[in-house]
Amino acid sequence: MDVLVLGPVQAWADGVAVTVDRPLERAVLVRLALANRVPVPDGRLAEDLWGAEVERPVQRLRVVVSRLRAALGPLADVIGRTPAGYQATVSATDLLAAEAAAQRLHIARRAGDFGAVAAAAREALALWRGYALADLRTIAFAAAEGERLDDWRLSLTVAGLEANLELGAAGEVVTELTGLVARHPLHEPLSCLLALALYRTGRQADALERLARLRRALSEELGVDPSPDTSKLELRILDHDPALRASALPVAATVGSPAANQEVAPETAPTESATEPEPRPWPAPVVVPMTSFVGRGREFATLTTRLAEPGLTTVVGVAGSGKSRLAAELARSIGRAGRPVVLVELAPLGRAEDVLPAVAAALEAGGLATDGAIDPNGPLPGILAALDGDGGRALLVLDNAEHVLHSVAELVTAANGFSLLVTSQQPLGVPGESVYPLGPLDRGVAVALFIERAGLRGLVTATERDELVTICAAVDWLPLGIELAAGLTRTLTISQLAQRIDDRVRLLVGGARGAAGGRHTSLRVALDWSHELLADRERAVLRRLGVFAGGCTLEAAEAVAPDGDLERGDVAPAMADLVNRNLVTVQTDGATRRFVLLETVRDYALARLTEANEVEELRAGHLRWCLHLVRTIGAPDDFAAAESVAAVFAEWPNILAALECAPGTSRATDGLRLAVEMHVPWLARAWFREAQRHYAALTEAADIAAHELAQALSHYGFHTLMTGDLEAAAVQLAKAGELAAPLDDPELAQTVRYYQGIVDIERCRLPEAVERLREGERLAVRDTQGSSFADALGTALLYSGDPAEALAAYTRSCAVDAAHEDEHGLSRGLSNQAKALLGLGRVEEALATAEESDRYARRLDDRQILPLNDLTRAAAALAAGSLDAAESYCRAALGHEEDATGLARIDLADVLLAKGETTAAGELLDEFFAASPGGVPLLAARAVSVTLRHAEGDEDGARVLLEQVRAEFAAAGFGWHRYTDRLITPGRTA
């Protein structure tokens, strides 16, 4: 069914008119249609019909809705009931069509296509059939809504006339404008447009007289002066400005929605000719918001110009001044122009150390860096390399830097010469920084923002406009304060809001950074007031949402927020009300809808949570939800699929918050359990240091059963091992073994045995490793456990010099991983198979297997496996005499190494020796040995050092070193042909 509102109300279904005789029933149908399928709370709907003072409003409303359904007959189902209020599955189709035409008008206006502007205006205006809602003007909301829609109609008319004027039809528009000005003598845009039209027809004196009459009318009726744009036009007409013959007035209002007279930022965007190809838009760097961008036109234009050149620009302003939204709109606009843009939201980060990983992840997600190109253990060089790609055109936007200033300052200093935009409550204070202060909104823009956010279509009445000025002034013209105040119009009329806001929000921007109450103290009063107007249910949900970092889904909120006084079914309607009040924002990503608190509001919610003495209870519930989430995602396949790993990291801000808030509390035990459940996801992403950090904080604090602690310590030992601290890993695994020994838990004993075998390999105790791992494979309690032992056994055999047996072990492991579709296992196992195949001289098979491993590693973002595959390719190239290719592969792998103790430096030194670059090879080996390495890399480096001594002509030294290294190899049982061949014929490769 279609409901038409741009004239007397009409309803149609399949081409047949639907009659609703009673005005109240018709008003309910219209009000729900205007809500565009969004539920309308009972109280709001009743107030719209009868005002605020009616008795028993809900009961009266039910009677009217019942009569409406009866009048609709077979169409009664279009009126539905939800927990959030009544809802209609119909829309005001003529209004939606007019808004769509107005949007096309706005786009054409920005592009300077006046023909399209005029056509769109005609299309929109043709939808009016008279005064909007003409038959319902006795109903409270319909009178205001009808007036606003008719004011919007006037704005569309002005836009169409302005376009016709630009198309050279000055004479034709003068007559229509004269009539409109007579009916609207205080409408500045109309009078200015008429003056311009008169001037263009050669009537300068009449044009000046028109503006003089406007000035007198404004002074006598309102006691105000004309706007600066009107005064400027008057001077330009006096001066016979030649530009007036070619261009119209600066666009002062958009008609893209009924909220007219709002400034729109991207008006200054360059317009390309029709013959130039449009640039390929860069993928959107941020989630598209559900609200329009109002205001900041001058700032947008200035910053767009600044960001066209390399350099650092920092936008600074108080909390709530709109820094983040401006940065996001700049990112979207510049990205649409075809320039690479990456936006990084820093607000969810809890530690300064998280800045570089967050930037690296954003660069990879945005396509500026390939998967694995940035080393997570030392990301800065990779970040700079990514920014330097595409000719250094990329723009990096860092939003909300105030709490991580030092780390951001270090990053932007290193990135000198690139285009960088930072938002913060204070400057970074680094050389070359261009600081751009962001102050309050202009009066007209502030009012337009309120109108748009409050859903007030079109221009408000003169009385309401004065009241809106009062409201906006009370919140010091700051966007966030205005949006919060606008959200209150769901409860209060504009008049009621204006009467109350002056006393309650006078101190809105009186706070300062560092004052008690947090970095957003200046907004505390506004939030206090918004909070007081909430029902108890909404207050409870709001403060409890504060425990979520980075937002949450509705299901998550329903799992965490309820308690004895708040039921699960209360959460959804409360969330809907909070969204309506602009206290909660909604982000849509595909089919997923997330509810997010602005950082200001989240700080406030957490403060209220503390006052309610609910922090411990809610953080415990949040932690339990995180634990359940990770277990649920991993249950089907133990994170074998890349999608499972990605699903966990989609909630990483919440998981991280739960882990970091657990140590030292009664939640430490569940925190440690969450860390255990995160073992495989951390392993898949090679987040070994992150895992180690959380295990270190939780293992000592947790009061947990022995078998759980043993499992946690075994995982802790493994992640410590992977960071290179072999001795600490051995200690942790020994503790795990002691705890596991008396428990008669075969699964746990096997876990400890497996990790101890890995430590034996890394400490070059290869015979012990082979024995321990063979036993583990024999005792495996399930095939996937046997697969893990077989893979580790293969590595021990390869290092021991038996590539054939190693290949057999790797093949057994991969067969199980393939059967279970374990992508992480295949990523690792195929990489190992490639090394064994290379050791057997089956080079083509080795390269093909490494390529297959890459495919899984890229899906998982496994930054440990990708460089190992590059080293396999380097060894194959070296054996084939392709020295340049070998060097390239080694350097690619070197880019991933956190420190100097990995194999990449050793293999690169080996390649450089083959190329005759002895000095460079020696420097690499010196760096390696200075890092105090151990294990297999140390033995490999000792072998390459023998080749170096020969290359330097030190035959005696080479001979002595050769004997020492052979003895070390024998003691360790080390026989990996890639390096032992250096001892057979130093300088040759195999």
Side-chain angles (χ1 to χ4, degrees):
M1 187 169 71
D2 296 327
V3 178
L4 308 182
V5 299
L6 301 180
V9 175
Q10 294 180 358
W12 296 84
D14 297 325
V16 178
V18 178
T19 302
V20 180
D21 291 325
R22 294 173 181 257
L24 271 177
E25 283 83 329
R26 206 157 57 246
V28 170
L29 179 62
V30 168
R31 180 63 182 85
L32 295 178
L34 289 173
N36 200 21
R37 303 174 187 264
V38 175
V40 179
D42 292 352
R44 178 72 211 201
L45 186 53
E47 184 178 337
D48 286 342
L49 294 175
W50 297 293
E53 306 304 326
V54 67
E55 295 183 0
R56 303 178 67 212
V58 175
Q59 290 81 353
R60 295 181 66 181
L61 178 62
R62 288 174 181 166
V63 172
V64 174
V65 172
S66 177
R67 290 204 302 254
L68 172 60
R69 285 174 169 154
L72 292 174
L75 299 173
D77 288 344
V78 302
I79 307 298
R81 179 73 180 163
T82 76
Y86 286 105
Q87 177 185 34
T89 58
V90 298
S91 300
T93 52
D94 55 348
L95 178 57
L96 294 177
E99 289 178 335
Q103 183 63 25
R104 292 194 295 275
L105 184 155
H106 172 54
I107 293 170
R109 196 180 211 180
R110 286 173 52 193
D113 186 350
F114 296 109
V117 171
R122 286 193 300 271
E123 180 183 342
L125 292 169
L127 294 165
W128 262 265
R129 296 169 286 104
Y131 292 109
L133 303 175
D135 55 334
L136 293 179
R137 293 292 179 105
T138 58
I139 308 294
F141 91 89
E145 189 71 11
E147 184 178 345
R148 293 182 188 110
L149 288 172
D150 287 337
D151 284 337
W152 180 43
R153 181 186 187 183
L154 178 60
S155 298
L156 291 167
T157 302
V158 171
L161 291 170
E162 183 184 62
N164 286 323
L165 182 59
E166 289 302 313
L167 293 170
E172 289 83 349
V173 302
V174 165
T175 301
E176 187 173 356
L177 281 168
T178 301
L180 287 170
V181 169
R183 293 195 297 273
H184 306 280
L186 302 180
H187 195 292
E188 282 193 71
L190 274 177
S191 290
C192 290
L193 198 58
L194 175 56
L196 181 61
L198 290 167
Y199 178 76
R200 290 191 177 179
T201 56
R203 299 163 61 182
Q204 180 194 24
D206 290 339
L208 292 171
E209 172 59 21
R210 177 64 262 161
L211 294 177
R213 269 191 267 172
L214 172 66
R215 184 184 299 276
R216 287 195 299 272
L218 290 172
S219 176
E220 292 169 2
E221 296 290 332
L222 303 179
V224 299
D225 293 325
S227 70
D229 283 342
T230 300
S231 300
K232 187 183 298 182
L233 174 65
E234 191 171 20
L235 291 174
R236 293 174 69 192
I237 290 175
L238 281 168
D239 293 340
H240 290 280
D241 186 346
L244 288 180
R245 296 284 181 185
S247 63
L249 294 170
V251 178
T254 179
V255 291
S257 73
N261 280 0
Q262 65 191 38
E263 181 181 335
V264 176
E267 295 170 40
T268 56
T271 301
E272 296 184 333
S273 70
T275 59
E276 292 177 314
E278 293 187 4
R280 177 182 62 85
W282 193 256
V286 288
V287 176
V288 177
M290 300 182 71
T291 56
S292 61
F293 181 45
V294 181
R296 300 301 188 194
R298 290 188 303 276
E299 295 89 341
F300 184 95
T302 300
L303 289 169
T304 298
T305 302
R306 286 193 187 185
L307 296 173
E309 300 295 331
L312 166 64
T313 299
T314 303
V315 177
V316 298
V318 299
S321 58
K323 303 182 295 294
S324 296
R325 184 62 187 269
L326 177 59
E329 294 298 331
L330 286 164
R332 268 191 289 275
S333 175
I334 293 171
R336 283 195 299 266
R339 184 176 172 192
V341 180
V342 169
L343 186 147
V344 185
E345 296 178 353
L346 302 177
L349 305 184
R351 304 178 305 132
E353 305 92 278
D354 295 331
V355 171
L356 291 184
V359 173
L363 288 168
E364 292 184 350
L368 285 176
T370 58
D371 289 342
I374 301 177
D375 181 7
N377 297 314
L380 184 57
I383 290 172
L384 300 180
L387 292 174
D388 198 35
D390 198 14
R393 297 171 56 242
L395 169 65
L396 176 62
V397 183
L398 304 174
D399 186 31
N400 284 313
E402 54 267 8
H403 62 303
V404 286
L405 280 178
H406 181 68
S407 291
V408 172
E410 289 181 345
L411 170 59
V412 300
T413 300
N416 183 36
F418 297 110
S419 292
L420 306 166
L421 175 63
V422 177
T423 71
S424 174
Q425 291 184 20
Q426 66 186 78
L428 300 178
V430 299
E433 180 185 27
S434 174
V435 178
Y436 191 93
L438 196 63
L441 293 172
D442 293 338
R443 173 183 293 195
V445 176
V447 171
L449 175 63
F450 188 103
I451 290 171
E452 198 275 341
R453 294 299 189 259
L456 306 175
R457 300 180 182 279
L459 299 173
V460 298
T461 64
T463 300
E464 288 174 328
R465 180 171 289 276
D466 291 340
E467 291 169 338
L468 291 185
V469 169
T470 299
I471 294 168
C472 294
V475 297
D476 275 3
W477 314 99
L478 287 177
L480 181 56
I482 292 168
E483 294 199 10
L484 291 171
L488 300 175
T489 58
R490 276 72 172 176
T491 303
L492 302 176
T493 65
I494 292 176
S495 178
Q496 291 171 331
L497 188 57
Q499 292 169 13
R500 289 162 174 77
I501 199 167
D502 189 60
D503 293 334
R504 301 302 304 275
V505 198
R506 176 66 66 187
L507 302 177
L508 178 62
V509 293
R513 182 181 175 87
R519 69 179 188 273
H520 291 127
T521 302
S522 59
L523 295 171
R524 172 76 190 220
V525 178
L527 289 166
D528 274 340
W529 190 45
S530 296
H531 184 265
E532 288 173 14
L533 291 173
L534 296 175
D536 289 343
R537 178 184 69 179
E538 281 70 30
R539 290 183 186 180
V541 171
L542 177 64
R543 66 175 178 264
R544 293 170 187 179
L545 287 177
V547 299
F548 289 98
C552 65
T553 62
L554 175 61
E555 293 75 16
E558 288 176 331
V560 174
D563 66 359
D565 299 325
L566 183 73
E567 297 180 356
R568 182 184 180 92
D570 293 330
V571 175
M575 295 275 271
D577 191 60
L578 293 171
V579 170
N580 282 337
R581 294 173 184 272
N582 297 317
L583 289 168
V584 174
T585 59
V586 181
Q587 293 180 350
T588 302
D589 183 9
T592 302
R593 178 168 290 187
R594 293 184 70 82
F595 297 87
V596 181
L597 297 181
L598 295 174
E599 286 305 301
T600 311
V601 180
R602 182 168 182 252
D603 286 349
Y604 180 86
L606 288 171
R608 284 289 184 177
L609 196 68
T610 301
E611 293 171 9
N613 198 29
E614 294 178 345
V615 172
E616 288 303 311
E617 177 186 352
L618 264 293
R619 289 211 180 279
H622 178 251
L623 174 54
R624 287 193 298 271
W625 171 77
C626 289
L627 182 58
H628 175 73
L629 174 78
V630 177
R631 284 174 173 170
T632 301
I633 294 173
D637 61 0
D638 194 24
F639 300 104
E643 290 79 7
S644 301
V645 176
V648 166
F649 282 103
E651 288 290 355
W652 176 243
N654 277 311
I655 295 169
L656 177 61
L659 287 168
E660 291 190 329
C661 291
T665 72
S666 59
R667 303 184 303 278
T669 298
D670 275 346
L672 186 57
R673 289 176 178 136
L674 177 58
V676 170
E677 296 297 331
M678 284 296 297
H679 169 65
V680 176
W682 279 330
L683 175 61
R685 289 282 176 94
W687 284 25
F688 303 122
R689 293 192 182 279
E690 182 73 17
Q692 185 185 31
R693 179 170 75 88
H694 294 297
Y695 280 119
L698 291 163
T699 50
E700 296 299 327
D703 181 13
I704 197 168
H707 73 281
E708 290 184 281
L709 181 58
Q711 184 180 36
L713 285 170
S714 66
H715 291 333
Y716 183 14
F718 174 77
H719 289 289
T720 302
L721 165 69
M722 299 308 292
T723 66
D725 191 346
L726 305 182
E727 298 307 317
V731 170
Q732 290 151 7
L733 289 170
K735 290 181 182 177
E738 292 172 5
L739 288 169
L743 295 178
D744 190 25
D745 185 336
E747 178 81 20
L748 178 59
Q750 282 285 84
T751 298
V752 175
R753 181 180 287 111
Y754 171 74
Y755 289 137
Q756 287 175 331
I758 299 293
V759 170
D760 286 339
I761 293 173
E762 295 301 324
R763 297 172 82 184
C764 282
R765 299 178 177 178
L766 296 175
E768 294 93 329
V770 169
E771 181 180 357
R772 194 190 302 270
L773 294 169
R774 280 195 195 279
E775 180 70 2
E777 186 180 8
R778 185 182 68 80
L779 296 174
V781 297
R782 47 190 166 77
D783 61 347
T784 52
Q785 188 179 78
S787 168
S788 297
F789 275 100
D791 181 80
L793 174 61
T795 299
L797 291 167
L798 179 68
Y799 290 171
S800 300
D802 193 344
E805 283 297 312
L807 180 60
Y810 290 142
T811 302
R812 292 195 301 274
S813 175
C814 284
V816 175
D817 293 336
H820 288 272
E821 298 181 347
D822 184 346
E823 295 187 66
H824 178 257
L826 289 169
S827 167
R828 177 197 62 221
L830 291 169
S831 176
N832 288 333
Q833 269 195 37
K835 287 184 283 191
L837 287 166
L838 190 65
L840 292 169
R842 295 156 62 176
V843 177
E844 294 302 322
E845 292 178 71
L847 294 176
T849 304
E851 190 67 30
E852 189 178 359
S853 168
D854 280 347
R855 181 165 61 86
Y856 292 108
R858 290 193 183 98
R859 280 175 50 79
L860 290 159
D861 191 24
D862 189 334
R863 305 176 187 201
Q864 181 193 21
I865 296 301
L866 289 168
L868 293 178
N869 289 340
D870 277 333
L871 292 182
T872 295
R873 283 185 275 269
L878 180 61
S882 301
L883 302 184
D884 289 341
E887 181 181 355
S888 177
Y889 287 127
C890 286
R891 291 196 183 279
L894 184 61
H896 290 270
E897 286 198 352
E898 175 190 14
D899 51 39
T901 61
L903 286 171
R905 260 182 182 74
I906 302 163
D907 286 3
L908 179 56
D910 198 22
V911 172
L912 293 177
L913 285 172
K915 297 181 74 172
E917 299 178 22
T918 306
T919 302
E923 291 172 351
L924 285 169
L925 289 173
D926 287 344
E927 292 173 6
F928 174 83
F929 289 120
S932 302
V936 169
L938 176 60
L939 294 179
R942 296 277 284 167
V944 175
S945 295
V946 174
T947 305
L948 175 63
R949 293 284 179 90
H950 280 288
E952 291 173 337
D954 184 3
E955 296 299 332
D956 292 338
R959 209 164 21 250
V960 172
L961 181 59
L962 176 63
E963 294 306 316
Q964 293 174 351
V965 173
R966 282 176 172 165
E968 292 167 4
F969 280 17
F974 185 73
W976 192 0
H977 295 323
R978 185 184 297 184
Y979 302 103
T980 57
D981 286 351
R982 303 300 180 276
L983 308 185
I984 299 170
T985 309
R988 285 188 58 192
T989 60

